[in-house]
């Protein structure tokens, strides 16, 4: 079943995200060399990593608080939010009930970060990591966001060592 934008907005609400609009067409992102993903980018590509103490062990009791705090610090420091606290959020087509093989594989939404938000503790399925479900039943987020001006993108991602952190690409 394909989700409507109203349903998507309702699903994002518990995380403290207000859906502004679906973004039609292509989204401008910081350029990366061919075959280089944000996770494989290097400092010379404009990659910035979370502080070491912000990497959260998936089994840690303070997991949600740590991930939220690290994400917010990086969002503020690297300019994710505009004056209305809006930014872009990518959601995989499969999560929307659409054909996951359709290109582009992600649909972008303009969202607003509300005063009360919790990207991790809210356990919003649209933000859930598909990869982490292979080794834990715990809710683990994994998602990509970008600034409206296309100058930066940020990924919150699960690493092979069982931790989660955020990285920024801002050349």
């Amino acid at each position: 079943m394909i989700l409507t934008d109203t349903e998507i907005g309702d699903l994002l609400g518990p995380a403290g995200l207000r859906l502004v609009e679906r973004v039609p067409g292509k989204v401008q992102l910081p350029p990366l060399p061919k075959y280089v993903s944000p996770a494989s980018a290097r400092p010379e590509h404009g990659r910035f990593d979370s502080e070491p103490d912000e990497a959260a062990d998936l089994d840690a009791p303070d997991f949600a608080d740590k991930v939220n705090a690290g994400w917010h610090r990086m969002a503020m420091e690297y300019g994710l939010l505009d004056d209305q606290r809006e930014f872009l959020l990518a959601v995989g087509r499969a999560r929307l009930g659409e054909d996951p093989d359709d290109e582009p594989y992600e649909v972008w939404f303009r969202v607003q970060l509300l005063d009360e938000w919790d990207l991790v503790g809210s356990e919003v399925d649209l933000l859930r990591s598909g990869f982490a479900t292979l080794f834990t039943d715990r809710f683990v987020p994994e998602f990509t966001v970008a600034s409206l001006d296309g100058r930066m993108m940020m990924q919150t991602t699960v690493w092979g060592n069982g931790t989660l952190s955020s990285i920024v690409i801002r050349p």
Side-chain angles (χ1 to χ4, degrees):
M1 182 169 119
I2 296 177
L3 296 173
T4 66
D5 286 3
T6 300
E7 292 168 326
I8 294 164
D10 290 345
L11 291 171
L12 292 173
L17 299 174
R18 184 181 69 79
L19 178 64
V20 176
E21 66 182 347
R22 182 183 291 243
V23 179
K26 190 171 178 154
V27 167
Q28 177 185 336
L29 296 172
L32 285 172
K34 194 172 187 173
Y35 306 118
V36 174
S37 71
S40 66
R42 300 174 49 85
E44 59 265 24
H45 302 131
R47 176 176 163 167
F48 299 89
D49 288 75
S50 294
E51 297 295 330
D53 65 339
E54 292 173 335
D57 186 310
L58 299 184
D59 296 323
D62 64 345
F63 174 76
D65 291 338
K66 197 173 212 182
V67 173
N68 281 331
W71 180 89
H72 190 257
R73 181 196 63 79
M74 292 187 82
M76 298 306 291
E77 183 174 332
Y78 292 98
L80 174 67
L81 309 175
D82 74 354
D83 292 341
Q84 287 76 43
R85 298 170 49 121
E86 292 182 2
F87 60 96
L88 302 175
L89 169 69
V91 179
R93 287 193 180 277
R95 293 229 182 263
L96 302 175
E98 299 178 10
D99 186 344
D101 294 328
D102 283 353
E103 289 193 39
Y105 302 110
E106 297 172 318
V107 178
W108 288 88
F109 296 91
R110 183 177 185 148
V111 298
Q112 180 182 44
L113 186 68
L114 302 175
D115 290 338
E116 298 294 321
W117 62 272
D118 184 350
L119 300 178
V120 184
S122 62
E123 297 190 6
V124 168
D125 197 54
L126 292 177
L127 304 177
R128 182 184 294 275
S129 170
F131 173 67
T133 61
L134 298 174
F135 54 89
T136 184
D137 291 332
R138 183 174 194 175
F139 174 84
V140 177
E142 191 166 34
F143 55 92
T144 301
V145 295
S147 60
L148 297 178
D149 63 10
R151 293 182 54 206
M152 72 84 79
M153 69 181 295
M154 185 164 77
Q155 283 190 340
T156 299
T157 192
V158 178
W159 301 101
N161 66 357
T163 63
L164 186 133
S165 65
S166 295
I167 57 173
V168 167
I169 303 297
R170 187 178 176 131

